[in-house]
């Protein structure tokens, strides 16, 4: 009999500039997820390390085959000494790298009431859209600020046939309060995909804090996984229901109804 559902977990944590401490937290959360029956756990953006000073992340960045990757995920060394890649890595249950995605949209933004961010100062943008098959469905890989660019998610659904969209993130408090959940639910609804959004939360250091609110959302836009405390460290679990996904896509066949890009190029204004 075909398996119609599979359990996933999404983690929430407050990473700091201590690799060993962050790894201990991740290790504990992996064990919790396994005990809950999850076949995959998703961690937030930068869960291995968040620096307290400028340049700290550059100093600890390693290549894909470096020692940190033997433990889990990391800041990937970039094309030169001044840049790293913000890399989303998918690892299978044998510890092998199945796929990697380099964040395309970099967070160069002025936040009212907070501060200015310039991710491109130390980060090289990626240029590839990435999807990969997994035990929990076909995954579409993204990172944080990518969430604001729906065309990426449209490509993942309609060109790459994604069923589950992953959004590891470290949203600021101001942008998280205003936009985090509504953007995630919108991406789920407009693509008819599950969305798993693992979030950094709380105060990382004197200069930086994150909004939190790790969520799992179904293809109808319903939140099916949420931690009870937005600022806590822990996991939420939910089941990816392939019967629900197929039913929604069959009853509202947007893949068949949507217009190709050529239509919009030729449409009269």
């Amino acid at each position: 009999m075909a398996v119609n559902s599979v359990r996933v977990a999404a983690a929430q944590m407050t990473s700091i500039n201590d690799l060993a401490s962050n790894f201990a937290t991740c290790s504990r959360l992996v064990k919790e997820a396994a005990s809950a029956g999850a076949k995959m756990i998703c961690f937030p953006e930068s869960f291995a390390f968040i620096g307290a000073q400028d340049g700290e992340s550059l100093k600890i960045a390693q290549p894909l085959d470096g020692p940190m990757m033997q433990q889990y995920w990391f800041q990937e060394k970039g094309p030169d000494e001044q840049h790293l890649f913000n890399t989303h890595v998918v690892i299978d249950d044998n510890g092998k790298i199945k796929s990697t995605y380099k964040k395309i949209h970099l967070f160069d933004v002025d936040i009212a009431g907070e501060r200015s961010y310039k991710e491109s100062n130390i980060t090289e943008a990626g240029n590839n859209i990435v999807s990969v098959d997994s035990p929990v469905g076909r995954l579409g890989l993204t990172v944080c600020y990518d969430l604001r660019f729906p065309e990426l998610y449209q490509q993942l659904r309609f060109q790459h046939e994604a069923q589950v969209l992953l959004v590891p993130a470290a949203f600021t408090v101001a942008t998280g309060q205003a936009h985090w959940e509504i953007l995630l639910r919108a991406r789920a609804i407009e693509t008819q995909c599950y969305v798993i959004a693992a979030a950094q939360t709380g105060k990382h250091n004197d200069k930086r804090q994150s909004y939190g609110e790790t969520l799992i959302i179904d293809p109808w836009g319903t939140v099916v996984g949420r931690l009870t405390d937005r600022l806590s460290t822990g996991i939420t679990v939910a089941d990816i229901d392939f019967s629900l996904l197929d039913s929604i896509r069959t009853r509202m066949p947007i893949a068949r109804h949507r217009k190709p890009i050529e239509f919009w190029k030729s449409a009269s204004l």
Side-chain angles (χ1 to χ4, degrees):
M1 179 181 296
V3 176
N4 287 324
S5 67
V6 61
R7 183 156 295 177
V8 296
Q12 183 169 284
M13 62 187 292
T14 308
S15 296
I16 58 175
N17 61 340
D18 185 324
L19 289 167
S21 175
N22 296 332
F23 180 75
T25 298
C26 291
S27 180
R28 174 171 61 83
L29 296 179
V30 167
K31 293 173 182 176
E32 287 184 19
S35 296
K39 297 301 182 183
M40 182 180 76
I41 182 170
C42 301
F43 282 104
E45 180 184 25
S46 302
F47 68 81
F49 188 90
I50 289 183
Q53 304 296 328
D54 292 344
E56 273 191 298
S57 292
L58 280 171
K59 292 178 182 177
I60 62 93
Q62 296 181 9
L64 277 170
D65 58 357
M68 203 187 308
M69 193 67 245
Q70 302 306 311
Q71 294 180 302
Y72 53 29
W73 181 88
F74 66 114
Q75 278 81 355
E76 183 184 358
K77 285 185 72 68
D80 54 54
E81 293 301 318
Q82 287 74 47
H83 294 85
L84 51 76
F85 291 115
N86 191 337
T87 305
H88 185 165
V89 181
V90 177
I91 301 171
D92 68 15
D93 54 1
N94 293 313
K96 303 296 184 182
I97 296 174
K98 296 296 291 183
S99 189
T100 63
Y101 162 77
K102 295 176 173 61
K103 185 180 181 184
I104 292 174
H105 302 96
L106 301 184
F107 194 60
D108 291 357
V109 177
D110 295 324
I111 304 296
E114 287 195 20
R115 64 182 181 89
S116 295
Y117 296 83
K118 192 76 171 176
E119 187 176 14
S120 65
N121 279 348
I122 65 166
T123 306
E124 184 79 9
N127 56 18
N128 292 315
I129 299 172
V130 178
S131 59
V132 61
D133 289 323
S134 81
V136 302
R138 186 159 180 80
L139 307 177
L141 310 188
T142 72
V143 176
C144 200
Y145 190 50
D146 285 332
L147 182 60
R148 294 184 181 274
F149 302 90
E151 56 270 23
L152 171 58
Y153 296 84
Q154 296 284 306
Q155 288 288 316
L156 285 167
R157 161 69 206 277
F158 298 111
Q159 302 302 319
H160 292 253
E161 300 181 342
Q163 297 169 300
V164 181
L165 302 171
L166 306 184
V167 193
F171 256 50
T172 71
V173 173
T175 60
Q177 288 173 338
H179 302 145
W180 172 244
E181 182 173 333
I182 196 169
L183 283 171
L184 291 167
R185 294 181 69 186
R187 296 297 86 85
I189 293 165
E190 68 195 12
T191 63
Q192 299 175 325
C193 288
Y194 278 89
V195 171
I196 304 176
Q200 290 281 354
T201 191
K203 187 173 182 179
H204 308 286
N205 52 60
D206 291 338
K207 296 180 179 179
R208 182 172 176 181
Q209 57 182 324
S210 295
Y211 177 68
E213 193 78 294
T214 287
L215 297 172
I216 303 174
I217 302 167
D218 76 13
W220 194 244
T222 303
V223 175
V224 293
R226 186 198 306 260
L227 273 76
T228 55
D229 182 353
R230 180 174 62 81
L231 298 176
S232 67
T233 293
I235 63 168
T236 184
V237 299
D239 293 329
I240 303 296
D241 185 339
F242 297 108
S243 296
L244 174 65
L245 185 145
D246 291 341
S247 174
I248 289 171
R249 292 182 176 187
T250 299
R251 292 171 182 273
M252 189 179 292
I254 61 174
R256 190 168 74 243
H257 294 160
R258 68 190 296 269
K259 304 301 182 186
I261 189 65
E262 291 76 16
F263 173 88
W264 300 110
K265 287 180 179 179
S266 62
S268 58
L269 299 178

